[in-house]
Amino acid sequence: GQGGQGDQDPEQETNVMSLIDRGAEADKVQAAIDAFLSESDGQDSLELLEGQWKLAWTSQGATASGIQKLATSFDNFQVIGKGQGSDTLNELENVALFSREPEVVLRAKASCSKDSVDARKVNVTISGADLNLLGLHIPLGFINGDGWLEVLYVDESIRISKGSKGSLFVHKRSNQAL
């Protein structure tokens, strides 16, 4: 099916999130996600991607980078938006909060665009990152590359997606100050 939107069984969504919140084993979370996605209504609405998302759960693919594995083990957010003067989603920022006090934050900047062939896919080009370490901004230009994100499901509160390196992500909408 296509990336689902909206008409999911709220009980199944609650089941996925409660398993995640309880720290259930990965195979149980994966089974709940699979059951949830099997009920997908097949609509595409990538416009719902706009905003800030907090990573709730991930199953890292075998080829995920060490930086990705490290960053996702802390509070991790993704902010997707429209750049100045744009009417399409074209900016993406990954924010890993390693520590608030003292402040240690990694911000990876990327451009993004809807794939011209697969309506569920968003192509991503990471163009560098900054590490804010106790007020020092350290540019990390070596953090770059191309990939994609396949949106398996999105609604107003939850997003389930798969990355180009095989990782599976469950995000929940967030308004936490970054």
Side-chain angles (χ1 to χ4, degrees):
Q2 294 290 307
Q5 175 237 321
D7 295 333
Q8 263 342 61
D9 179 351
E11 230 173 82
Q12 284 202 355
E13 182 172 314
T14 302
N15 185 40
V16 169
M17 295 312 294
S18 70
L19 284 170
I20 289 169
D21 291 344
R22 289 197 321 261
E25 295 162 5
D27 59 339
K28 289 184 178 161
V29 175
Q30 180 71 56
I33 290 169
D34 290 345
F36 179 75
L37 293 175
S38 73
E39 301 295 319
S40 178
D41 66 8
Q43 296 178 40
D44 288 306
S45 186
L46 293 186
E47 292 308 313
L48 288 173
L49 289 178
E50 187 169 13
Q52 179 177 301
W53 298 89
K54 182 175 184 180
L55 183 66
W57 183 86
T58 184
S59 171
Q60 293 291 320
T63 60
S65 71
I67 289 173
Q68 180 177 330
K69 289 176 181 175
L70 173 67
T72 56
S73 65
F74 292 87
D75 277 354
N76 191 286
F77 299 84
Q78 195 167 68
V79 182
I80 302 173
K82 298 172 183 171
Q84 192 171 359
S86 175
D87 58 358
T88 60
L89 298 176
N90 63 0
E91 291 184 338
L92 185 145
E93 181 181 41
N94 282 325
V95 180
L97 297 178
F98 296 111
S99 169
R100 284 201 183 273
E101 290 295 325
E103 186 179 42
V104 181
V105 181
L106 177 67
R107 294 176 180 271
K109 301 276 189 192
S111 60
C112 63
S113 62
K114 291 181 185 176
D115 191 86
S116 60
V117 177
D118 187 339
R120 298 176 297 167
K121 220 176 248 187
V122 176
N123 296 309
V124 177
T125 301
I126 300 170
S127 55
D130 285 314
L131 179 63
N132 184 346
L133 184 62
L134 312 173
L136 291 171
H137 291 280
I138 303 164
L140 303 175
F142 64 88
I143 296 179
N144 58 55
D146 296 323
W148 49 260
L149 192 64
E150 181 181 3
V151 179
L152 304 174
Y153 179 83
V154 62
D155 68 17
E156 293 296 340
S157 61
I158 187 174
R159 183 181 99 208
I160 301 172
S161 53
K162 184 171 69 174
S164 54
K165 296 187 179 189
S167 301
L168 184 65
F169 304 99
V170 177
H171 286 84
K172 55 187 176 181
R173 200 170 288 279
S174 169
N175 58 7
Q176 186 173 334
L178 299 178

